[in-house]
Structure formats: C-alpha cells, structure tokens
C-alpha cells in the first residue's frame, strides 16, 4: 500500500483518533515502509500548518502515555502531506491521484456519511478505485436500511466487497478481541455457553457525556441508530455466534450474520414490554450540574438518548436466554461491560439462610473504564464455623496481570488495530455488507414499532442509569442489571 488518504483529515475524528493512532503505530515501528499519509479536505491549508496541527493533536496524547520520541515524530512527519480537495469532485481529486501514483491507495472517509455515495463515485472516476485500492467507511453508513442500501450500492459500484472496510471501532478494542480468545481458545466455556447454563446476558454501554455540540447529527439518529445498530449488535454477535471454522474474515462474519438473522423482530404490540426509550433531563453528572437534552438542542425533541431492549435470539443455542442491551448518554458511569449470568445451582446443600446464600456464577467482560474479564465463583469462607459459610470471589482473567511487576502493555486506541488491518487488507474485524444490512433491517423494525405504538422517550435525570422502566425490563423476570464492578 503506497498511501493512506484521510478524507476529512483535519476533522474531529482524524485529529482525536486516527492521527494519534498512526503516531502510536509509527512509534512501535508497525507502519508499512514507504507509506505516505495524506490529509485531504476542502480547507486551503498549507502542509506546514496541517502538520503543526497534527503534532499538537498527537504530542499531548503520546506524552501522557510515555510514548513520545522526537525520532518517531520525525518519521511520521516525513510521511505526512496535505492536499486541499473536494472529494466529491473527480477533477479536484486529479492532483491527489498524481501525487500517490499507482502503488495502491487506502481512502479513509472521515467525513459526513451523507457524502459517501458521491465520494466513492468520484474516487472511481479519478482512478482511485483500482484493484489495488481500498476504501474505509466510518459508521454510520446510512440512517436506515433504505439509505444504507443507496450508499452501499454506490460503494459496490466502485469497489468490490473485499476492498471495502466498514469500521465499527468496538471491534478494535482489545477486550472485544479477547472475548474471541476466551470463547475459542479455551475448552471450558463452550459446553456451558448456551441456554442450558446461561440465564441471560447483559450488555451495557454507559456514557456520562451529554450530546452537546453533536446534536445536529445525534438528533437525527438517537441511541438506537448511533450505538445499538452497530457497536452493541456487534458485541451481541461475538457473544452469541457459533464457533467459526477458522479466523478467516468470511468464516467469522458468516457466523455473525446468522445471529443477526435470528434476532426476533420487535413488533408494535411488543414494543412497550421489551424496549425502553429515554431522554435525559437536567441532573447532576460527575458532580456537576448537567443540562437537559432539550436545552442543549434548544427545543423539544423526541429523539432517545437512552435505549434498553430485551433481545431474543431464535435459535437452538439461545432459545429461552434473553439478551438485555442498554446504552445512553448522561448515565451514572462511563462503563461498558458484557455480563454472562449463569443459572443458579439446581439445589443448594448450604441452605441455612443468608449465610448460606449461593450467588449464581457470573462472567463479567469489562471493556471500559478498565479492561478485564472476571469470573465470580463461590468459595468457602476460611474458618471453623460448624456450618460452612460461603463467599463470592472474583477470579480476574485480566491480560495485563500476567507478569508480576511488569509494566502492563499500553492501552491502545481501537483504531490502531483497525488501521493496521485495513492497510494489510484483513477484513476480519470489519463489518460485511450483509451484516450491516441485516442489522439495519432489525433496527428499522424496532423504529417502526416505536412509531406505530407512538412510543415517546421516558425522562431520566442526568447522572442516573436511565428511566426506571429499564430496571423493570429485567425485574419482570426476577433479574437485575449488574451494579457491582466485577
Ligand atoms: N468524531 C467522532 O468521535 C466520531 C466520528 N464518526 C464519524 O466519522 C466521520 C467524521 O466525523 P467528524 O470527524 O466528527 O466530522 P468533522 O465535521 O469534524 O470533520 C469532517 C471533515 O470532513 C471534511 N470535508 C467535508 N466535506 C468534504 C469534502 N467534500 N471533501 C473533502 N473533505 C471534506 C471537513 O473539512 P473541510 O471543511 O475543510 O472540507 C472536515 O475536516 C463521520 O462519518 C462521523 O459520523 C464516528 C464515530 C465517532
Ligand atoms: O460511535 C460512537 O461511539 C462513541 C462511544 O465510543 P467509546 O469508544 O468511547 O465507547 C459514542 O460516544 C458516539 O456517540 C458514537 O457515535
């Protein structure tokens, strides 16, 4: 690959995530030799000004991680360039094509998704969609199935599927990949990984931030389309999928798509029982007063900033084991976790009141703020009590704690893994067209059900875990959201 072109290379995503990731890859000596990195946007900015902005964006992050060296920066600086282009206009792309030559270009579209269709068409016309070229698309691709198909048809007209890399940055997170290792690198979990042993699964992505300046985008999408359609369904797929026969991109994605196709549709009639929509009102977030969403937006809105759903997967492995998903802005904590709640023992031999209580085993896969996998098991309390007393203990399977005293590995930005894979042409951790299509189909059904049932968001105070209906969603089945850490 001769060049990586960041369309929208001066924007928020590029400056906060992509360019720092590229610096860290450079620091670790992982970028392909000779790769040029070109920022491309409409602003008439000089190379020097652009590079100075990149340095300002990268240096603080790298120093905070104790990973800044002048040598690594000099190597990245030597690769960097900037070209003012309107990516929707083939004529404007001509100088870029001349600059990168024929050695293969990866075009990363860090621009508004509304431009994707026109940009890929222009890339093809400008000779930047040849067999050796690739395109990386940020989420969200589309706002519903119809708009997704419209954009993706244009993409398919310019690039073949193996040249297309649809990013879901959650798939680049270390613990998400560790989930694959846990499930398929060990024998002990697989026999238990089904509805015979697992009572239910919870997936929580809690954020403390509000929508803030992003509301023009967010108000059109809401939590269902911004988070559930992509990140949360991807996590669900990795928990629920059958073992793929190998780690080939298509083997893994074939299994994921089967899961999405097995999601039980949510009907208008069911919407109230199995889904919760919420929107934050004023409250206290991380010790500070927080405005209501409608105040941030400047007027009332029916967009949900919180969603919780009971998802049933209609297949042999998961029949009878619900998956509960919840995500929202301005929640009580920034916490992302997957909880595998095992069934209780069928009969307790320690049944002497509270002291003999047996908590069912629980596997907690924490992605944020810490990265850890912890299994809770019951254990005997040490001592000579006549009646044996039990206590739950947490067994941490954390990857960082292997060598005692050794510095844990630097926590990588998810985009590091994904950029490296896109440059190498490995699409295992990217979303295939049919996966995105099926996910939009299911999400459209949820959205239609909400519309049909005139289902408005319930209010919740900023700094809480969402509307109380989200608790009821589990309480109805005698369950509760995980509140412990681990
Ligand atoms: N920011 C984030 O945290 C996240 C962003 N995303 C996605 O990433 C993408 C980019 O988001 P974000 O960085 O926030 O957006 P920004 O608005 O900050 O940046 C967009 C960039 O696109 C450039 N641009 C606009 N039109 C054109 C054009 N015709 N040709 C070339 N460049 C153009 C703009 O520069 P100029 O005006 O100079 O052309 C600007 O640099 C979106 O798809 C978003 O949904 C996804 C997840 C998180
Ligand atoms: O894609 C998105 O993800 C972020 C949350 O990402 P995380 O890695 O910090 O968990 C979310 O804030 C944003 O709304 C959404 O577009």
């Amino acid at each position: 690959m001769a060049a990586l072109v960041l369309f929208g290379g001066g924007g928020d995503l590029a400056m906060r995530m992509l360019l720092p990731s590229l610096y860290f890859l450079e620091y670790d000596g992982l970028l392909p030799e000779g790769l040029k990195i070109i920022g491309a946007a409409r602003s008439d900015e000089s190379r020097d000004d652009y590079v100075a902005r990149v340095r300002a964006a990268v240096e603080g992050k790298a120093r905070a991680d104790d990973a800044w060296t002048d040598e690594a920066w000099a190597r990245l600086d030597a690769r960097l360039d900037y070209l003012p282009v309107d990516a929707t206009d083939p004529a404007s792309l001509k100088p870029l094509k001349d600059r990168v030559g024929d050695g293969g270009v990866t075009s990363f579209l860090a621009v508004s998704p509304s431009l994707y269709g026109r940009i890929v068409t222009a890339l093809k016309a400008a000779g930047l969609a040849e067999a050796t070229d690739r395109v990386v698309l940020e989420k969200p691709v589309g706002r519903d199935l119809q708009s997704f198909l419209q954009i993706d048809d244009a993409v398919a007209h310019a690039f073949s599927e193996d040249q297309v890399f649809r990013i879901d940055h959650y798939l680049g997170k270390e613990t998400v990949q560790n989930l694959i290792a846990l499930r398929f690198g060990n024998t002990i979990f697989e026999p238990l990984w089904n509805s015979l042993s697992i009572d239910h699964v919870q997936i929580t992505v809690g954020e403390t931030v509000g929508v803030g300046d992003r509301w023009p985008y967010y108000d059109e999408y809401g939590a269902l389309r911004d988070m559930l359609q992509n990140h949360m369904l991807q996590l669900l797929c990795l928990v629920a999928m059958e073992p793929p026969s190998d780690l080939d991109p298509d083997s893994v994605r074939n299994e994921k798509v089967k899961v999405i196709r097995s999601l039980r549709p949510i009907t208008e009639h069911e919407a109230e029982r199995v889904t919760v929509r919420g929107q934050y009102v004023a409250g206290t977030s991380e010790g500070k007063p927080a405005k209501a969403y409608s105040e941030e937006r400047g007027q009332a809105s029916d967009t949900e900033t919180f969603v919780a759903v009971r998802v049933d997967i209609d297949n042999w492995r998961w029949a009878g084991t619900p998956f509960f998903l919840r995500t929202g802005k301005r929640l009580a904590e920034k916490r992302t976790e997957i909880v595998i709640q095992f069934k209780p023992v069928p009969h307790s031999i320690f049944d002497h009141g509270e002291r003999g209580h047996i908590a069912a085993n629980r596997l907690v896969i924490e992605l944020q703020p810490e990265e850890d996998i912890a299994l809770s098991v019951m254990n005997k309390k040490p001592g000579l009590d006549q009646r044996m007393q039990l206590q739950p203990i947490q067994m941490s399977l954390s990857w960082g704690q292997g060598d005692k005293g050794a510095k844990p590995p630097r926590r990588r930005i998810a985009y590091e893994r994904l950029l490296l894979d896109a440059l190498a042409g490995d699409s295992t951790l990217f979303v295939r067209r049919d996966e995105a299509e099926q996910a939009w189909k299911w999400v459209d059904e949820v959205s239609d059900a909400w519309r049909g049932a005139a289902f408005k968001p319930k209010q919740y105070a900023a700094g809480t875990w969402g509307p109380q209906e989200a608790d009821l969603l589990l309480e109805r089945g005698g369950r509760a959201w995980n509140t412990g850490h681990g």
Side-chain angles (χ1 to χ4, degrees):
M1 190 57 52
L4 170 66
V5 180
L6 302 178
F7 289 103
D12 179 70
L13 182 74
M15 288 293 168
R16 275 193 318 110
M17 296 289 172
L18 306 181
L19 288 151
S21 297
L22 289 164
Y23 169 82
F24 286 122
L25 293 173
E26 182 71 86
Y27 175 80
D28 288 331
L30 295 173
L31 285 181
E33 219 182 304
L35 179 82
K36 291 182 202 155
I37 299 169
I38 303 174
R42 291 164 309 171
S43 304
D44 199 8
E45 196 173 9
S46 71
R47 179 196 179 273
D48 286 354
D49 287 350
Y50 179 69
V51 172
R53 278 211 296 142
V54 174
R55 180 173 177 152
V58 164
E59 188 170 351
K61 276 191 175 26
R63 285 197 190 278
D65 265 349
D66 205 10
W68 177 263
T69 65
D70 290 342
E71 295 73 39
W73 168 253
R75 291 200 304 274
L76 187 70
D77 184 341
R79 296 177 189 272
L80 285 170
D81 205 347
Y82 178 80
L83 262 186
V85 299
D86 176 351
T88 60
D89 174 9
S92 166
L93 290 169
K94 175 82 173 54
L96 178 65
K97 171 69 185 166
D98 295 342
R99 183 89 50 108
V100 297
D102 287 326
V105 179
T106 296
S107 293
F108 193 121
L109 307 195
V111 297
S112 163
S114 61
L115 300 175
Y116 289 174
R118 285 160 65 201
I119 293 180
V120 289
T121 306
L123 288 174
K124 187 165 172 69
L128 289 161
E130 301 298 311
T132 50
D133 299 330
R134 298 184 189 129
V135 67
V136 183
L137 304 174
E138 251 306 330
K139 68 145 271 260
V141 184
R143 188 190 171 272
D144 51 23
L145 180 60
Q146 195 192 359
S147 51
F148 166 77
L149 291 175
Q150 244 166 28
I151 296 172
D152 225 62
D153 284 349
V155 173
H157 195 67
F159 294 92
S160 61
E161 180 62 24
D162 61 349
Q163 295 174 280
V164 182
F165 293 75
R166 294 177 200 82
I167 286 225
D168 184 307
H169 78 269
Y170 267 54
L171 295 180
K173 290 183 190 273
E174 191 67 21
T175 316
V176 173
Q177 293 158 62
N178 208 2
L179 170 61
I180 301 176
L182 181 88
R183 285 198 60 197
F184 307 123
N186 298 287
T187 51
I188 57 173
F189 295 108
E190 179 53 21
L192 306 176
W193 210 262
N194 54 50
S195 59
L196 296 178
S197 304
I198 295 178
D199 177 75
H200 73 276
V201 175
Q202 301 177 10
I203 302 179
T204 292
V205 181
E207 295 190 88
T208 51
V209 291
V211 174
D213 294 342
R214 288 184 72 215
W215 73 256
Y217 152 77
Y218 194 89
D219 202 56
E220 207 191 321
Y221 282 74
L224 177 71
R225 295 181 170 87
D226 183 50
M227 295 293 289
L228 203 125
Q229 187 272 344
N230 36 80
H231 306 321
M232 300 196 74
L233 285 187
Q234 285 294 324
L235 296 181
L236 176 145
C237 282
L238 294 176
V239 174
M241 71 183 185
E242 295 301 313
S245 52
D246 51 40
L247 267 187
D248 203 59
D250 277 333
S251 308
V252 174
R253 297 183 304 177
N254 287 345
E255 298 308 332
K256 284 198 288 166
V257 84
K258 282 188 215 161
V259 174
I260 309 179
R261 291 172 68 98
S262 310
L263 302 184
R264 186 179 302 166
I266 289 173
T267 60
E268 195 179 310
H269 172 68
E270 283 282 273
E272 182 109 39
R273 194 180 67 82
V274 298
T275 74
V276 180
R277 291 183 85 196
Q279 188 188 91
Y280 58 85
V281 294
T284 305
S285 176
E286 299 188 306
K288 294 191 195 120
K291 283 185 186 171
Y293 173 66
S294 57
E295 264 187 90
E296 286 179 342
R297 185 178 180 271
Q299 65 188 83
S301 160
D302 274 350
T303 298
E304 76 286 347
T305 59
F306 175 95
V307 61
V309 193
R310 175 192 162 124
V311 183
D312 285 277
I313 304 177
D314 287 331
N315 66 19
W316 270 47
R317 186 184 284 264
W318 296 113
T321 295
F323 282 57
F324 295 98
L325 276 48
R326 68 171 168 172
T327 184
K329 304 279 184 199
R330 283 274 184 249
L331 296 188
E333 280 175 60
K334 166 109 182 141
R335 181 143 59 95
T336 304
E337 67 178 17
I338 302 168
V339 176
I340 314 290
Q341 178 64 62
F342 289 93
K343 290 190 169 166
V345 292
H347 164 72
S348 173
I349 60 168
F350 307 99
D351 197 9
H352 37 272
E354 264 304 293
R355 294 181 315 159
H357 175 71
I358 301 183
N361 300 121
R362 176 175 270 198
L363 182 71
V364 179
I365 299 153
E366 184 180 349
L367 283 74
Q368 292 171 151
E370 302 303 324
E371 293 181 324
D372 192 16
I373 300 182
L375 180 64
S376 75
V377 291
M378 294 308 288
N379 180 277
K380 179 186 175 299
K381 253 190 191 166
L384 299 176
D385 296 77
Q386 280 214 311
R387 287 183 146 190
M388 193 190 291
Q389 289 196 36
L390 301 188
Q391 60 183 2
I393 57 156
Q394 312 296 326
M395 290 171 57
S396 172
L397 314 179
S398 172
W399 54 269
Q401 296 173 357
D403 303 329
K404 266 206 172 134
K407 192 176 161 200
R410 181 176 63 75
R411 194 166 170 179
R412 289 188 180 276
I413 305 173
Y415 284 93
E416 292 178 52
R417 163 90 273 151
L418 299 173
L419 282 164
L420 209 52
D421 287 357
L423 289 169
D426 181 346
S427 52
T428 311
L429 297 177
F430 294 82
V431 180
R432 204 170 58 190
R433 178 180 166 108
D434 51 350
E435 280 179 78
E437 191 176 329
Q438 291 300 322
W440 276 123
K441 186 167 172 277
W442 187 80
V443 160
D444 275 3
E445 283 161 356
V446 177
S447 163
D448 291 348
W450 283 350
R451 198 174 318 107
F455 200 50
K456 301 276 184 233
K458 307 268 189 312
Q459 295 186 341
Y460 64 97
T464 65
W465 275 110
Q468 62 178 18
E469 285 77 1
D471 293 333
L472 294 176
L473 191 66
L474 274 80
E475 282 167 15
R476 277 199 290 273
R479 304 173 172 113
W481 292 104
N482 183 35
T483 49
H485 293 241

